[in-house]
Amino acid sequence: MTKDFAIPPVVFPSGGSTANPNVQQRRFPAAPFQPPRPSSSAIPFMSFDIGSAAASSAAPAGPFTGTLNSSASFGGGGSSSFEDEEPLLDELGIHPDQIWKKTRSILNPFRINQTVHHDSDLSGPIFLYLALCLFQLLAGKIQFGVILGWIVVSSIFLYAVFNMLAGRNGNLNLHTCTSLVGYCLLPVVILSAVSLFVPQGAGAVRFVVAGVFVLWSTRACSALVVSLADGGEEHRGLISYACFLIYTLFSLLVIF
């Protein structure tokens, strides 16, 4: 037994007739909004027309040409001035030749060249500070902050002692004291390197070697302070005692 199903008629709209409202038509998406292209652009790189941009770049405007010429001439002048500039180390105030001369003058405590220390700096003391910290690190002692703090306190201590002794005649500033304390730290740095090869059990030997290097640093620092400051010759003994205390503290860090 078969059943009959009612099939609705399909109506195809003709070209000239109106569409049947019951028939769903496909809707095509509308094109996005596009701004109108300008007919002519004064700036070539703002134009999206490749042909017009190439033509305008081939023949730029008069003011733009002058700007290019001036920038080109400026570039030429800049290259010549760059060759005449000072080296980077000189601009930073780091002079390796002066650092080497000051360091070499400390090596002989009996004949110290005081003239090279008139121009104080902190580049050499920072290098010696890092060297001392490195040797202490090789010995298993991490003392970066301790050594830096002692250098600062020692510089302030030497500055205060000398200016209290000299009174109004004292002309030794804190920058010079820091430079002298740092450069005269060279014997202590050598002591720290030598102590790496001295056994820990030889306590007497370590104390004798440390005493020699402390006297070396004391002699160098006191001689420089007396020669660079006015009125230092009158208080040589007290200045030497202050320097002896400073470098004894640094040597205790090394031998213990």
Side-chain angles (χ1 to χ4, degrees):
M1 182 177 181
T2 59
K3 292 183 179 181
D4 296 335
F5 296 95
I7 301 174
V10 179
V11 180
F12 298 95
S14 59
S17 61
T18 59
N20 190 3
N22 296 327
V23 179
Q24 295 181 357
Q25 298 180 2
R26 181 180 297 177
R27 295 182 180 180
F28 296 95
F33 173 75
Q34 296 181 356
R37 294 183 179 180
S39 58
S40 61
S41 177
I43 305 177
F45 53 82
M46 291 298 294
S47 176
F48 295 93
D49 194 353
I50 300 177
S52 62
S56 59
S57 62
F64 192 69
T65 307
T67 306
L68 289 177
N69 294 335
S70 62
S71 62
S73 62
F74 177 76
S79 61
S80 61
S81 62
F82 182 75
E83 295 175 357
D84 298 336
E85 290 184 355
E86 297 181 357
L88 181 59
L89 292 179
D90 293 343
E91 292 183 356
L92 296 176
I94 302 175
H95 306 283
D97 53 344
Q98 294 184 6
I99 294 175
W100 169 242
K101 290 179 181 179
K102 293 178 181 180
T103 306
R104 190 176 58 183
S105 66
I106 306 296
L107 294 176
N108 188 0
F110 301 101
R111 295 184 59 183
I112 298 177
N113 187 8
Q114 297 90 354
T115 58
V116 296
H117 290 273
H118 284 285
D119 187 12
S120 59
D121 69 284
L122 298 180
S123 303
I126 290 175
F127 173 75
L128 295 175
Y129 156 73
L130 294 176
L132 179 59
C133 292
L134 177 60
F135 288 127
Q136 291 294 93
L137 183 62
L138 293 177
K141 305 173 184 177
I142 305 177
Q143 298 173 340
F144 290 89
V146 175
I147 297 175
L148 180 60
W150 283 15
I151 289 176
V152 175
V153 173
S154 301
S155 304
I156 297 175
F157 172 70
L158 183 61
Y159 169 76
V161 167
F162 179 80
N163 284 277
M164 284 191 299
L165 293 174
R168 296 182 178 180
N169 298 325
N171 60 345
L172 193 66
N173 53 25
L174 185 60
H175 187 272
T176 304
C177 290
T178 308
S179 178
L180 296 180
V181 170
Y183 275 108
C184 294
L185 201 65
L186 176 63
V188 181
V189 175
I190 300 175
L191 172 63
S192 179
V194 172
S195 64
L196 296 175
F197 305 97
V198 178
Q200 294 289 338
V205 176
R206 295 174 68 90
F207 275 101
V208 171
V209 174
V212 172
F213 284 99
V214 167
L215 293 177
W216 181 1
S217 297
T218 303
R219 165 69 180 176
C221 187
S222 60
L224 289 175
V225 171
V226 169
S227 62
L228 296 179
D230 295 337
E233 189 65 33
E234 302 175 359
H235 311 285
R236 178 183 287 270
L238 294 177
I239 293 174
S240 300
Y241 178 67
C243 296
F244 177 78
L245 294 178
I246 290 173
Y247 294 106
T248 300
L249 291 177
F250 285 107
S251 65
L252 291 177
L253 286 177
V254 176
I255 61 178
F256 287 108

